[in-house]
Amino acid sequence: MSLSAVLLAAATPSPTPSPSETAVTVPSLQDAQESATNAASWVEQNWSTWLAIGLRVLLIVVIAAVLRMTVRRAITKLIDRMNRTVESVDGTALGGLLVNAERRRQRSQAIGSVLRSVASFVILGTAALMVLATFEINLAPLLASAGVAGVAIGFGARNLVTDFLSGVFMILEDQYGVGDQIDAGVAAGEVIEVGLRVTKLRGGNGEIWYVRNGEVKRIGNLSQGWATAGVDVTVRASENLDRVKATLDAVTEKMSKEEPWNELLWGPIEVLGLDSVLIDSMVVRLSAKTMPGKSVTVERELRWRVKRAFDEANIRIVGGATADPVDDVADPTEAVAAPSVYSNADSPQVAATSPLSSPRGTSGSR
């Protein structure tokens, strides 16, 4: 290498390193001390605020938990007291007939579940809003969004909401319960399960119907209050009415005093009198108030006893399939032979069998 080249290289300045290529500066002890001092001063200035917020949140949570537990326990005791009040009338005849243990249990469970759920929702929801307000969070947008979401969910699940609300009011009003015979319009049968959304019925042929509570527009309960047993007795028009009434009075009086019919009957069996009078028969009607759902049983037993009593008193029951057969009147012409065609001299058959007469001229020549 020549001397001039060496001198030129020595005279050229070396490039300075860029800021990015400089080494990372390590904070000094003074900087760390200053950062710690700032953090300590911030904590010192705000610790009371955060402590107050924490204690307030803790107090809200504790009060909500205690209030929820107290309200749920009070609801449970209220439901148990209602059950005991109903059980206290079980010793009476009317109470024992009207109160069903399974129905009372399911209705109490449903009412208690609804009340406990509502109480928990209200208490916990209010506590959550109070906690958010403690952190100075603006609740107006949250409440507006919740209102819009609730409206949307309500429109989307309106059938479910309708079923639920109908079930709640049905249980609170005690429209029907387990063991009742009801006619719900869409189906009829015995109630085997009551829910807040669906009622389960067992039909007359053993089938099970699942009826949504929101679909029921009217309910006919055949098991509340009392039922009516009615029996129509058809006798001949020639029977003595006093004798018929005396026989029926004896049957009804005896049946009203015998077990278990004296428990199923809620009143005397009344002979109402003639219900209709026809040319060859008359109808006497009997009626009685019975235990709900036992009217058919009482009617069958009453018909059985009336039939036996009438047979002993020689009183014939007529009408319908049991009517007296009509006596066949003997036809006086039945034994008489049909008239012969030959009995009429002008009939064609007689003319065909008569002998031919000879001409007059032939007979005169002879």
Side-chain angles (χ1 to χ4, degrees):
M1 179 179 294
S2 62
L3 181 60
S4 58
V6 173
L7 293 175
L8 182 60
T12 303
S14 59
T16 59
S18 61
S20 61
E21 294 177 357
T22 58
V24 178
T25 59
V26 179
S28 63
L29 181 61
Q30 185 178 0
D31 295 336
Q33 185 177 1
E34 184 178 355
S35 299
T37 303
N38 293 335
S41 61
W42 183 85
V43 171
E44 185 179 359
Q45 293 175 0
N46 296 282
W47 73 270
S48 58
T49 303
W50 286 103
L51 180 61
I53 292 175
L55 292 177
R56 189 178 302 174
V57 170
L58 180 62
L59 181 63
I60 291 173
V61 172
V62 171
I63 292 177
V66 173
L67 182 61
R68 176 176 177 269
M69 182 178 62
T70 303
V71 171
R72 289 173 64 92
R73 185 172 297 179
I75 292 173
T76 302
K77 289 184 178 180
L78 177 63
I79 298 300
D80 293 341
R81 183 177 299 176
M82 290 172 57
N83 290 339
R84 288 196 298 268
T85 302
V86 176
E87 289 175 358
S88 62
V89 301
D90 282 348
T92 63
L94 183 60
L97 295 175
L98 291 179
V99 177
N100 181 279
E102 181 64 17
R103 170 178 176 173
R104 183 175 62 247
R105 185 186 64 82
Q106 286 204 8
R107 181 170 179 264
S108 301
Q109 288 182 353
I111 294 176
S113 176
V114 171
L115 294 179
R116 284 190 291 266
S117 299
V118 171
S120 299
F121 177 79
V122 172
I123 293 173
L124 296 182
T126 304
L129 294 178
M130 293 177 65
V131 169
L132 294 178
T134 302
F135 288 101
E136 298 182 355
I137 298 176
N138 189 8
L139 299 180
L142 180 61
L143 295 177
S145 302
V148 173
V151 171
I153 294 175
F155 276 109
R158 58 184 180 275
N159 290 333
L160 182 62
V161 174
T162 302
D163 296 339
F164 181 81
L165 293 178
S166 299
V168 170
F169 284 107
M170 179 271 300
I171 292 175
L172 292 178
E173 296 172 0
D174 194 20
Q175 297 177 5
Y176 57 85
V178 175
D180 287 353
Q181 290 285 341
I182 68 171
D183 182 0
V186 294
E190 180 184 356
V191 179
I192 59 177
E193 186 176 339
V194 177
L196 294 177
R197 193 181 70 87
V198 175
T199 297
K200 190 184 297 184
L201 306 177
R202 183 174 296 279
N205 296 326
E207 71 277 9
I208 295 180
W209 298 94
Y210 294 88
V211 181
R212 289 170 43 196
N213 295 328
E215 295 293 328
V216 178
K217 303 303 180 183
R218 51 95 173 155
I219 290 291
N221 195 325
L222 307 179
S223 300
Q224 286 184 350
W226 43 266
T228 301
V231 175
D232 293 333
V233 181
T234 306
V235 297
R236 292 180 297 187
S238 59
E239 294 290 346
N240 188 343
L241 285 177
D242 295 335
R243 187 160 162 262
V244 171
K245 188 177 185 304
T247 306
L248 293 176
D249 289 340
V251 171
T252 57
E253 184 179 359
K254 182 179 180 182
M255 182 176 174
S256 301
K257 295 180 180 179
E258 293 182 356
E259 294 184 355
W261 311 110
N262 56 353
E263 297 180 357
L264 301 182
L265 292 170
W266 285 13
I269 304 176
E270 299 178 353
V271 181
L272 301 180
L274 286 177
D275 192 63
S276 63
V277 179
L278 303 177
I279 296 177
D280 57 348
S281 63
M282 53 186 176
V283 178
V284 182
R285 185 168 183 80
L286 290 80
S287 178
K289 290 183 178 180
T290 68
M291 180 191 302
K294 299 299 181 180
S295 60
V296 177
T297 305
V298 173
E299 289 174 358
R300 291 171 178 171
E301 179 66 19
L302 186 56
R303 291 191 188 98
W304 183 282
R305 292 173 179 256
V306 168
K307 178 62 172 64
R308 289 192 303 180
F310 277 16
D311 289 343
E312 294 177 357
N314 196 20
I315 300 175
R316 296 295 302 275
I317 298 178
V318 298
T322 60
D324 290 335
V326 179
D327 297 334
D328 295 335
V329 180
D331 189 1
T333 63
E334 190 176 46
V336 178
S340 174
V341 295
Y342 298 102
S343 61
N344 187 3
D346 296 332
S347 63
Q349 290 81 358
V350 174
T353 57
S354 61
L356 297 175
S357 59
S358 59
R360 294 183 178 179
T362 307
S363 60
S365 61
R366 289 181 180 177

